[in-house]
Amino acid sequence: MTLYSIFVQLIGFIPSLISILSIQLKDRKKLIILQFSAGIMWVTHYYLLGAYTAVLTNSIGMFRSFLAYFNDKKWAKSIWWLFLIIALSLFSSFITWDGYISLLPTISLICTATGLWVHNLTITRILFLISSPCLLVYDIFTGSWGCTIIEIIAFISFILAIVRLDIVPYFKKKRERKENL
């Protein structure tokens, strides 16, 4: 492996770590800022790998993060923004078509765009969990080894976040209500 290859893999590894850490946060705005920052590095990484569907979907993902950050403002609340992001995602898959594999980052972006659009972190975490296997397969196919390793860790992290922040508190509240009866 050349120094250049190591550099390219590292550029993909770092934003993957940022993404994993972001999903563990309870603050939606901080999660979105970290997702945007990761997107900048992923665009560079996938461009250097020649994975152009991922370049476009990550660029759209950065736009998605920008909108999600402000979607408590009147101008950014419109559901049409989400529809635009989904349409752009589908279009990016079409213009960079490299076989059915091109659909995977598109499906992932649609899940994460919808997840960041809603103001419910439980739904956000579930949609991120659904998007993870799509990226895992795409990363293997494109040779993004750092992202492949991190995507496995991300998948586990998403499961842990759902258990820790959603499932355990749900059953804890349910048990407390039962005890108070």
Side-chain angles (χ1 to χ4, degrees):
M1 190 176 252
T2 67
L3 187 58
Y4 176 78
S5 296
I6 293 169
F7 175 71
V8 170
Q9 295 300 327
L10 189 61
I11 291 174
F13 186 79
I14 292 169
S16 297
L17 276 176
I18 291 170
S19 183
I20 287 171
L21 295 174
S22 75
I23 204 68
Q24 298 295 329
L25 296 175
K26 291 182 179 182
D27 184 318
R28 182 177 168 278
K29 295 256 184 182
K30 288 179 184 173
L31 181 148
I32 292 168
I33 290 168
L34 289 174
Q35 290 289 316
F36 184 87
S37 302
I40 294 168
M41 289 182 267
W42 274 323
V43 166
T44 305
H45 169 71
Y46 285 114
Y47 177 80
L48 294 172
L49 286 175
Y52 301 114
T53 303
V55 170
L56 285 178
T57 55
N58 277 287
S59 297
I60 296 164
M62 291 167 55
F63 177 62
R64 167 216 62 202
S65 294
F66 172 80
L67 287 172
Y69 187 84
F70 291 105
N71 84 351
D72 57 343
K73 308 283 186 216
K74 186 175 180 179
W75 65 268
K77 276 187 179 182
S78 174
I79 191 71
W80 293 106
W81 285 116
L82 179 60
F83 293 147
L84 174 65
I85 291 167
I86 291 169
L88 288 171
S89 301
L90 294 169
F91 182 70
S92 74
S93 184
F94 172 74
I95 64 172
T96 61
W97 187 257
D98 194 25
Y100 290 110
I101 198 76
S102 299
L103 293 174
L104 295 176
T106 301
I107 293 167
S108 175
L109 177 59
I110 291 169
C111 287
T112 57
T114 305
L116 289 175
W117 195 261
V118 298
H119 287 264
N120 181 324
L121 283 174
T122 299
I123 294 171
T124 300
R125 285 186 277 272
I126 290 168
L127 288 169
F128 274 50
L129 178 69
I130 293 168
S131 82
S132 189
C134 296
L135 290 180
L136 176 63
V137 172
Y138 188 79
D139 289 337
I140 292 168
F141 184 80
T142 60
S144 177
W145 305 119
C147 288
T148 297
I149 293 165
I150 289 296
E151 201 58 51
I152 293 167
I153 296 167
F155 186 72
I156 294 166
S157 174
F158 298 151
I159 292 169
L160 291 175
I162 290 168
V163 168
R164 183 174 71 87
L165 300 170
D166 302 311
I167 294 173
V168 169
Y170 171 80
F171 284 108
K172 192 175 187 179
K173 283 180 187 176
K174 191 174 179 180
R175 185 179 65 229
E176 287 172 359
R177 275 187 260 143
K178 214 179 217 184
E179 290 172 357
N180 289 334
L181 290 179

